[in-house]
Amino acid sequence: MASSSFLRCCLLLCCCFFSHVQAVKTPFHPRDVLPLLPRQVSWPILNSLNGAVDLLPAFVGSVSSQNHVVSWKGACFYENTAWMEFHNKSGSEFGGGTLHIKVSKAHSWTCMDLYVFATPYRVTWDYYFLSREHTLEIKEWEERAEYEYVKNKGISIFLMQAGMLGTLEALWEVFPLFTNTGWGENANLGFLEKHMGATFEPRPQPWNTNISVDDIHSGDFMVLSKIRGRWGGFETLEKWVTGSYAGHTAVFLKDSEGKLWVGESGYENEKGEDIIAIIPWEEWWDFEMNKDDSNPHIAVLPLHPDVRAKFNETAAWEYALSMAGKPYGYHNMLFSWIDTIDGNYPPPLDAHLVASAMTVWSKMQPEYAANLWNEGLNKRLGTQGLNLSDILVEIEKRGSSFDQLLAVPEQDDWIYSDGKSASCIAFILEMYKEAGLFDPIADSIQVTEFTIKDAYTLRFFENDSSRLPKWCNDADDVKLPYCQILGKYRMELPGFNSLDLYPHMNERCPSKPPKYFRPQNC
């Protein structure tokens, strides 16, 4: 162990030294040979250098002609240029082209750079090991639309900024986020601590609370945080990009006979479909306690008495029952996060990368692409039935940009092919809207623009701890301003219960980690 620690320190010193001596090309870079070392030596070093966010390519530019030259610094090669040449070697109707990339001044003899190249019609990749001019051949454009797009907008170039080794290491960090293991749980906690500054203070046992149904009222809010498995990994990434310290929500409803129910958008039915459902409390709670393997953490946020007095229970039930059985609101899930042209993307994520990721997904799963973003983008354009490629071309025709289109606010009254769309939080806030909680300015607020964080920061909830139920945080020496009813760790909700309503709320709010600065009245 002593020799391993010594070697680790030596390699870290070498990494720091060579990162500052860039003028001299070294025979090798310490990071390039780390995979050759014992795993117990190499992985701790790699973990200190790279993270899961290094899986995100960085946009370096677009090239559309020989006269349009883009230059940038790579992860391996420090001087790079690219330009585009159109030709018709294939003799096709629209011809093809050659993307020229000249790379030089590598920091070592053993490094390489990874690139992704994208148009609305294709995505490909390549890697470069030698200092010289490289080419990417496109035999023929898919159709006139791609030819015109590349001539006007160019081919987008993305650099895997961590390099080959860093990208592989980043995969090693992101993979466990989705595994249903203790390793995966620790990975999710570590990611949130590293990238959001979250803390996970252990709670004393028992980690579950026997709540009294009599103390629960219609409209009381629940936030959930899942920290392992498929949903744990998904929620971790969602929290990171939105700044929310919870990844899912549900709401209480009581019927005329006093029976307690839970309304939830994202309930998995027997067919494995995520739907909107109204479930008996006992059934819902039994699942979370005994069958949910994502290690859920759950807190109840009781409504303030003055807010509860405004809550129209009849209208809430009518809305909930009208939505029961409808699909989860995938149509507007993405757009509640993106409010600005460039203020919602954790670096190096940006609208170019989002468009490329959509292009890849559209090729792989076209039916999901239509559900996740195509219909929403068509709504914003005032068009119908355009696929992603057509949408990007239409944006170009109008002299606009994709980042501007993504930032157009969602409208609560939009009807999609499968009806009104409501994500987990949109379902609850739409119910609140129907129940009168957004009056008298309900018409000027689009709740489909709210994230989970936007919801729990509303000044809707109990602010007097003496009015919280007796069982609320009863076993914990730290008294939270809400009632955590399940979970090993205390749930943080920064900004909880702090914002009053105002017109066009949350339509233009940035959300960049780790500070997630929110301007007033955005």
Side-chain angles (χ1 to χ4, degrees), residues 51-217:
V53 295
D54 293 310
L55 283 174
L56 299 174
F59 175 71
V60 299
S62 298
V63 290
S64 57
S65 71
Q66 290 175 286
N67 297 324
H68 181 200
V69 179
V70 175
S71 303
W72 69 94
K73 179 181 177 180
C76 170
F77 296 96
Y78 289 158
E79 290 190 3
N80 307 277
T81 56
W83 63 94
M84 186 69 203
E85 173 192 1
F86 284 86
H87 57 65
N88 198 356
K89 297 176 183 178
S90 62
S92 58
E93 184 178 359
F94 306 111
T98 302
L99 176 63
H100 297 265
I101 297 183
K102 186 176 181 180
V103 302
S104 60
K105 294 195 176 179
H107 70 69
S108 80
W109 293 346
T110 54
C111 67
M112 65 178 68
D113 273 339
L114 280 170
Y115 287 95
V116 176
F117 309 100
T119 78
Y121 298 82
R122 72 183 72 224
V123 175
T124 187
W125 67 280
D126 207 348
Y127 63 91
Y128 304 127
F129 182 74
L130 299 174
S131 294
R132 63 177 179 86
E133 183 179 318
H134 301 267
T135 59
L136 177 71
E137 291 291 340
I138 299 173
K139 292 182 180 180
E140 57 182 290
W141 305 114
E142 188 167 315
E143 52 187 82
R144 175 179 290 278
E146 184 180 26
Y147 168 70
E148 294 291 346
Y149 185 92
V150 174
K151 279 185 64 177
N152 292 297
K153 283 288 191 178
I155 293 180
S156 296
I157 304 172
F158 299 89
L159 168 70
M160 299 301 293
Q161 57 183 355
M164 177 73 81
L165 183 60
T167 301
L168 292 174
E169 192 279 326
L171 281 169
W172 178 257
E173 186 184 30
V174 79
F175 170 74
L177 297 180
F178 296 88
T179 61
N180 198 357
T181 62
W183 175 41
E185 182 172 310
N186 290 333
N188 279 288
L189 299 184
F191 185 99
L192 295 171
E193 288 173 342
K194 177 179 179 181
H195 297 293
M196 292 184 68
T199 59
F200 294 91
E201 297 292 334
R203 301 170 69 222
Q205 294 195 43
W207 295 331
N208 63 285
T209 300
N210 292 319
I211 77 171
S212 171
V213 172
D214 293 337
D215 294 322
I216 301 296
H217 303 84

Side-chain angles (χ1 to χ4, degrees), residues 216-488:
I216 301 296
H217 303 84
S218 287
D220 286 346
F221 189 64
M222 279 191 288
V223 290
L224 296 85
S225 181
K226 303 185 178 188
I227 58 175
R228 67 189 298 171
R230 175 172 62 104
W231 284 113
F234 175 81
E235 285 191 11
T236 288
L237 299 178
E238 177 191 10
K239 293 168 188 172
W240 172 53
V241 298
T242 65
S244 298
Y245 276 60
H248 189 51
T249 56
V251 66
F252 285 111
L253 285 168
K254 268 188 175 177
D255 63 22
S256 57
E257 297 179 356
K259 182 176 176 59
L260 189 63
W261 300 77
V262 174
E264 180 181 22
S265 178
Y267 178 80
E268 187 173 320
N269 65 13
E270 295 177 353
K271 299 178 181 178
E273 301 166 331
D274 294 321
I275 63 168
I276 297 172
I278 314 297
I279 312 109
W281 158 248
E282 296 81 5
E283 179 184 330
W284 190 90
W285 182 236
D286 176 67
F287 175 82
E288 297 301 338
M289 282 279 292
N290 303 310
K291 301 172 187 176
D292 190 340
D293 57 8
S294 65
N295 194 355
H297 287 55
I298 305 174
V300 177
L301 283 53
L303 291 179
H304 188 279
D306 294 343
V307 176
R308 184 178 300 120
K310 292 176 59 178
F311 189 83
N312 185 327
E313 196 170 44
T314 301
W317 267 108
E318 287 178 358
Y319 171 77
L321 293 174
S322 74
M323 296 295 288
K326 293 185 182 297
Y328 174 83
Y330 289 106
H331 295 295
N332 49 36
M333 179 180 66
L334 175 69
F335 300 107
S336 66
W337 156 47
I338 302 175
D339 291 344
T340 67
I341 291 176
D342 57 7
N344 299 106
Y345 305 104
L349 191 63
D350 61 11
H352 291 94
L353 183 54
V354 170
S356 295
M358 287 180 175
T359 299
V360 173
W361 196 259
S362 296
K363 299 294 184 184
M364 296 170 56
Q365 298 282 352
E367 66 279 10
Y368 287 110
N371 196 22
L372 284 169
W373 50 72
N374 282 4
E375 284 197 49
L377 293 172
N378 273 279
K379 290 286 188 186
R380 285 158 173 78
L381 281 172
T383 55
Q384 289 185 342
L386 298 185
N387 60 30
L388 182 62
S389 302
D390 297 333
I391 289 167
L392 293 173
V393 171
E394 181 65 23
I395 295 169
E396 170 67 14
K397 289 179 181 177
R398 298 187 185 190
S400 186
S401 63
F402 189 62
D403 50 8
Q404 290 176 314
L405 187 66
L406 288 174
V408 173
E410 183 83 4
Q411 301 297 302
D412 292 351
D413 60 359
W414 280 348
I415 306 295
Y416 291 89
S417 58
D418 50 6
K420 273 200 167 185
S421 189
S423 63
C424 67
I425 191 58
F427 168 68
I428 297 171
L429 295 184
E430 284 275 23
M431 179 193 296
Y432 282 0
K433 199 173 184 181
E434 292 293 326
L437 299 194
F438 287 86
D439 292 343
I441 60 171
D443 290 343
S444 64
I445 292 182
Q446 307 300 326
V447 298
T448 42
E449 277 291 300
F450 283 49
T451 65
I452 294 173
K453 179 182 180 181
D454 296 331
Y456 66 65
T457 56
L458 286 173
R459 208 186 303 272
F460 277 2
F461 307 106
E462 181 60 80
N463 60 0
D464 184 346
S465 59
S466 68
R467 289 198 295 252
L468 292 173
K470 291 182 179 180
W471 45 261
C472 183
N473 305 307
D474 189 42
D476 199 343
D477 55 348
V478 174
K479 303 304 179 184
L480 299 172
Y482 36 82
C483 306
Q484 184 166 347
I485 60 174
L486 185 64
K488 177 181 178 181

